[in-house]
Amino acid sequence: MVTSSLLLFAKNNNTDTQSLLFVNSTRNKHSEMASSSSLLSEDQFQCSICRDVFTEPVSTPCGHNFCKACISGYWDTTSLCQCPMCKHNFYIRPELKTNTTLRDVADHFKRNRVRDESLHRAGKGVCDFYMENLEDRIMCKKHNTLLELFCRTDQMCVCQFCTETDHKTHHIVHLEEECGERKAQLGKMDAQVQQMIQERMQKGWEIKHSVELSKRDAEREITDSMQVFTDLVRSIERSQAELIEVVEEKQEAAEKRAEGFIKELEQEINELLRRSTELKHLSHTEDHLQLLQSSLSLCTPPNAKNWSEISIHTELMNVMRVLRSSVSELEEKTRKAFSELMEKCNKAMEKFPDKLKIPDKLKIPDNLKSMQQYAVDVTLDPDTANPFLGLSADGKQVRIGQTWNFRPENPKRFVSRCILGKEGFSSGRFYYEVQVKGRNCWELGVARESIDRSIEWTPLEVFLDSGLPLTPEGGFWTMGQKYKSYRNTYEANTSPSVTLTLEKPQKVGVFVDYEEGQVSFYNVETKAHIFSFTGCNFTEKLYPFFDCGFHDNNDPALIISPVSHTD
């Protein structure tokens, strides 16, 4: 009966009879398959999390089944790895593998369900359904035959007759082959979009992190300025207020700019997420025409801003460097003014010893105390230690040993009797103290990461002062005590070296300001400044440096001491 109706419909509407018979026979087959699949219930193939038919089903050790993405996402959001069905706890997250048998059955059920839906639509009216859906979508309007081929030359669907006429010399492939390649392209494009999303999310985090760093830097600069301006007169206090206002204005401007960047990133991320959703949907569609019509625009990379040059923290650091320089200059002027005032007060005290007393607030600020607030915990790195050096278990003491200590070969190890600290610094300020009491030969300071560690500094070279590589040109900023001409001398290792006149120190403090290019040394007991390297250009990590010398195994160890802030 249905076949007769189709033939009559074809005759009255001038439609390809062979195509209609093909549709009718296909529908009959679908009807038979639908009746067989009706014995299976959809509930048997549903994931209990997404409530849909399984996609890539996996089985948990307790015997329950879920979509792989559903159960993985569920466990990612909880601290306890638990089965959503029976609440069984897994103390070690199970390794999930696809249940291939259940996957095949679920996929078969999905295909049957799609056929059932198509059959249901066909039951609404063979003529209407055919005219509204099939003729416009899968039939060649010129030859009234199925569009089952694709012309890559003209990028369009064609029928068999088209390949023999208008597209005779063109590159023709089967529709399924073209769809397969398009899906592969969509998959690659989706991967690119996902990568772009990750990059922009990472950049958003970096900008937020830069804002936090700039906040801390601003707070530190305000605190430093407060320390400098505490004992100044009202005119200096006004300068302090102006400095704080400038820092806060720059910080506020940076935060506003960062907010604008974050909004742009969020907009780009939302757009990319939308595009990703379209790509995923299109890559799984069975509608070949929709796939081909939409894939061309979606396969084109989206226009996006290059975020690699954006950096809030770098801009603020430049501002902070200028402000810090201004503060240092003002501090020096203040110290000079206080020194002159102290001198006048002392002269006045000689005349009126019982009547004049210098107020505590007029005392010159202790410079060493301001350095000690940047104290860091330094531990010796055994991977850099010369085999003749003996280290304490806590990594705080080093001395020349009596025997060779076997240590595995390491490119970081010194040939001479030297060692570095474990932690390096590539920004900011840091300070540490070393006890040198009782020693006759030592060198302290910092060294850059790329220094040459293969040079052997012989006793003769040291004795004759033939030019050691412990200079800034060699990547070292150091000073120390040398045994020369049967007497002890103290030298700063510049080019040429500078002989220092100072009281024999028991403990030496080392201070570094990376951005300002400064390395300073202090006698901790006397609170006296020993020497400073200034105007240095640091471009890589700096490590605390220790040289134990070359003789006298009875010398006490160099000891990294905890910093006890001076009064």
Side-chain angles (χ1 to χ4, degrees), residues 301-314:
N303 293 326
K305 185 174 183 177
N306 182 8
W307 292 93
S308 60
E309 301 294 331
I310 304 300
S311 177
I312 299 296
H313 185 58
T314 301

Side-chain angles (χ1 to χ4, degrees), residues 290-416:
Q290 181 186 3
L291 171 64
L292 297 173
Q293 292 168 357
S294 303
S295 60
L296 290 175
S297 59
L298 290 177
C299 285
T300 303
N303 293 326
K305 185 174 183 177
N306 182 8
W307 292 93
S308 60
E309 301 294 331
I310 304 300
S311 177
I312 299 296
H313 185 58
T314 301
E315 297 176 7
L316 279 174
M317 286 303 297
N318 293 333
V319 175
M320 296 303 177
R321 188 178 293 108
V322 175
L323 292 174
R324 192 181 299 120
S325 177
S326 301
V327 171
S328 299
E329 182 179 352
L330 183 59
E331 181 183 13
E332 184 63 29
K333 293 180 180 179
T334 304
R335 288 174 61 83
K336 183 177 180 180
F338 274 128
S339 296
E340 294 175 355
L341 180 59
M342 286 286 288
E343 185 177 356
K344 291 180 181 179
C345 289
N346 288 331
K347 290 181 179 179
M349 287 180 66
E350 293 176 359
K351 297 179 180 180
F352 307 98
D354 298 330
K355 295 183 179 180
L356 185 60
K357 182 179 180 182
I358 300 176
D360 291 339
K361 66 179 182 178
L362 293 182
K363 292 182 179 178
I364 299 176
D366 187 354
N367 200 29
L368 178 60
K369 183 179 180 180
S370 65
M371 302 297 105
Q372 288 176 327
Q373 66 177 310
Y374 299 102
V376 295
D377 183 20
V378 175
T379 303
L380 299 170
D381 185 1
D383 289 342
T384 66
N386 177 274
F388 275 110
L389 297 182
L391 306 181
S392 61
D394 61 358
K396 298 295 184 180
Q397 301 184 29
V398 59
R399 61 179 299 171
I400 298 178
Q402 300 288 346
T403 59
W404 175 279
N405 297 287
F406 175 76
R407 294 190 175 102
E409 292 186 6
N410 193 311
K412 297 193 299 182
R413 194 174 308 287
F414 282 97
V415 173
S416 291

